[in-house]
Amino acid sequence: MRDSARNRCWTARSPPGDGGRMPQLTPYRRLFGLPGARAFTAGNLIARLPMGMFSVSAVVMIAGTRGSYALAGAVTATGLAATAVVAPWTARLVDRHGQGRVALPATVFAVLGSLALLLCVRHDAPDWTLFTSYAATATTPNTGGMSRARWAHLLAGDPRGLHTANSFEQAADELCFMLGPVLAAFLCGAFFPEAGTLVGAVLLLTGMVLFTTWRATEPPVRARIPAKAPLRAPGMPPLLALCLAMGAVFGSTEVVTLAFADARGHRSAAGVVLALQAAGSCAAGLLYGAVKPAGPAASRLPWCVAAMTALLTLPLLAATLTGALPLLAGALLIAGMATAPTMVTTMTLVQQRTPEGRLNEGMTLAATGLLGGIACGSALGGWTVEHLSATAGYGIPVTAAAGALALSLVAASNRFTDHRTPH
């Protein structure tokens, strides 16, 4: 019944009077016409918003009460490292036993870790308890990956529909990481330092309960999981290396922009400038999902990365030639427009090359690569700002993007066999 409803939805005729052409947003209307799509998406978005809140909330909370940004940075870095180790194992359990059986208990454990951190900070517990508590949040499931897995299940055999779904998911990522830090900073500043962490924990648990409640759209659990891990699947290592390089682009851009704005006495405006970059990516992602992709994803990937590399020269030129923050903001807005198409195409290839039955694990490995790249990019960007200048720091994203371009040519090689229908 669900398949027939899906087919009816995706074969709807054009409305009369449009000459047989569908409006641009029609693919999204079709997408959310699928049974259960709106419900699980709503829950997933609520659970995903805190992903952009937790690190900012932790830094503000710890630095505000302990007076040490070094301690706050070390705690969040520990949580990132723990996530890189734990997240793929959590995703493997999700693939093996199902989203409903694994994601909710893992979320409860992570929420308890967040609440423990809050209490330890509130009651002036020893520093080591902060590291332990924040490391416990590493069991947080990859909510975006689980949502993409549901779309892949619902839209099996429909490459254009899956392209639209992946584009929406990337736009949702950008929106959450754009709004999350702003919401966290507002809550911590307007109420009390622990408010961001507390609200984030409530949103995460509430959203995950809503998401896992809709079992009809959940991918079925396979009786036998393929022995080959996604990490060893043909074509996956260069894709994961590409994710690492793109993460370095994002991490270095964030740190360098913060330093650039601070050096010009506009530290409070840095968040707005970064939000513009995410807004450009979000808008481009929605537009990219509304059009029919040209050629297979493997062929599109190098062109997307090349566009990202070229556009990232704009912030470097703006910082070098003028040093004006408004001009830099405009350059970042334009540069951000290449991010979503590049990430959508990359995640499409990850889906294609991940062995059947291990999709959550494959996409979580990609997310882990991004996180690792963000950490490396942040460190390299910070070093460049401190030893050279914030303006010179904008050379780091361009260099990382150029490396990603070289990796994209390897990842797009036709000698790799895709596990899913190419599109």
Side-chain angles (χ1 to χ4, degrees):
M1 180 180 296
R2 184 170 66 233
D3 290 339
S4 62
R6 178 180 68 200
N7 293 335
R8 287 197 302 272
C9 181
W10 281 89
T11 56
R13 294 183 178 180
S14 303
D18 70 347
R21 297 180 61 188
M22 300 292 284
Q24 271 194 327
L25 292 182
T26 293
Y28 292 102
R29 289 202 295 267
R30 290 176 173 179
L31 191 69
F32 291 105
L34 297 176
R38 295 182 183 182
F40 85 73
T41 299
N44 186 271
L45 290 178
I46 294 173
R48 203 185 308 189
L49 180 60
M51 297 303 101
M53 296 176 59
F54 281 130
S55 61
V56 174
S57 298
V59 169
V60 173
M61 178 174 62
I62 295 171
T65 56
R66 300 292 176 96
S68 173
Y69 277 98
L71 175 62
V75 170
T76 55
T78 299
L80 182 63
T83 299
V85 174
V86 174
W89 291 96
T90 304
R92 183 176 297 182
L93 290 174
V94 168
D95 285 329
R96 187 180 299 273
H97 301 291
Q99 294 180 359
R101 294 182 61 186
V102 175
L104 188 56
T107 299
V108 171
F109 191 86
V111 167
L112 291 176
S114 294
L115 296 179
L117 175 66
L118 186 154
L119 292 174
C120 289
V121 171
R122 186 78 171 179
H123 296 286
D124 200 26
D127 289 350
W128 66 266
T129 62
L130 309 185
F131 290 91
T132 304
S133 299
Y134 202 66
T137 65
T139 62
T140 305
N142 181 4
T143 52
M146 291 191 298
S147 185
R148 288 177 173 91
R150 292 202 179 200
W151 289 122
H153 167 59
L154 291 175
L155 300 169
D158 186 353
R160 186 171 181 181
L162 188 57
H163 167 75
T164 301
N166 284 336
S167 298
F168 169 78
E169 290 298 325
Q170 186 60 40
D173 281 341
E174 300 294 345
L175 184 64
C176 290
F177 279 99
M178 178 175 64
L179 297 179
V182 176
L183 178 59
F186 169 75
L187 291 171
C188 294
F191 298 98
F192 47 92
E194 299 86 359
T197 299
L198 181 60
V199 171
V202 172
L203 288 175
L204 175 60
L205 184 57
T206 302
M208 192 59 67
V209 169
L210 293 175
F211 178 75
T212 55
T213 297
W214 288 91
R215 305 293 292 272
T217 56
E218 182 179 339
V221 177
R222 294 171 61 93
R224 297 182 61 184
I225 299 295
K228 180 178 289 186
L231 186 60
R232 295 182 293 170
M236 281 293 284
L239 275 178
L240 298 179
L242 173 64
C243 290
L244 189 70
M246 288 195 294
V249 171
F250 306 148
S252 58
T253 300
E254 180 175 344
V255 170
V256 172
T257 299
L258 290 170
F260 187 89
D262 192 19
R264 280 150 184 79
H266 300 290
R267 185 176 186 179
S268 60
V272 177
V273 174
L274 290 171
L276 284 175
Q277 183 186 20
S281 179
C282 180
L286 291 174
L287 181 61
Y288 189 61
V291 300
K292 183 179 180 179
S299 299
R300 299 196 307 269
L301 181 62
W303 292 104
C304 290
V305 182
M308 182 175 73
T309 305
L311 290 180
L312 280 170
T313 62
L314 296 179
L316 176 61
L317 291 174
T320 303
L321 299 179
T322 68
L325 192 61
L327 189 59
L328 175 68
L332 285 172
L333 173 66
I334 297 173
M337 292 180 180
T339 300
T342 302
M343 290 303 304
V344 169
T345 307
T346 301
M347 287 301 180
T348 298
L349 278 176
V350 170
Q351 291 178 359
Q352 291 175 2
R353 294 175 179 175
T354 298
E356 291 283 353
R358 304 188 76 158
L359 188 55
N360 282 294
E361 184 179 353
M363 287 189 291
T364 300
L365 285 172
T368 300
L370 287 170
L371 289 174
I374 289 172
C376 294
S378 298
L380 186 57
W383 185 93
T384 304
V385 166
E386 184 173 342
H387 292 85
L388 298 176
S389 67
T391 300
Y394 279 108
I396 303 300
V398 178
T399 304
L405 178 57
L407 290 168
S408 71
L409 296 173
V410 178
S413 173
N414 59 12
R415 71 177 181 271
F416 298 127
T417 301
D418 290 347
H419 292 268
R420 300 174 187 270
T421 303
H423 51 278

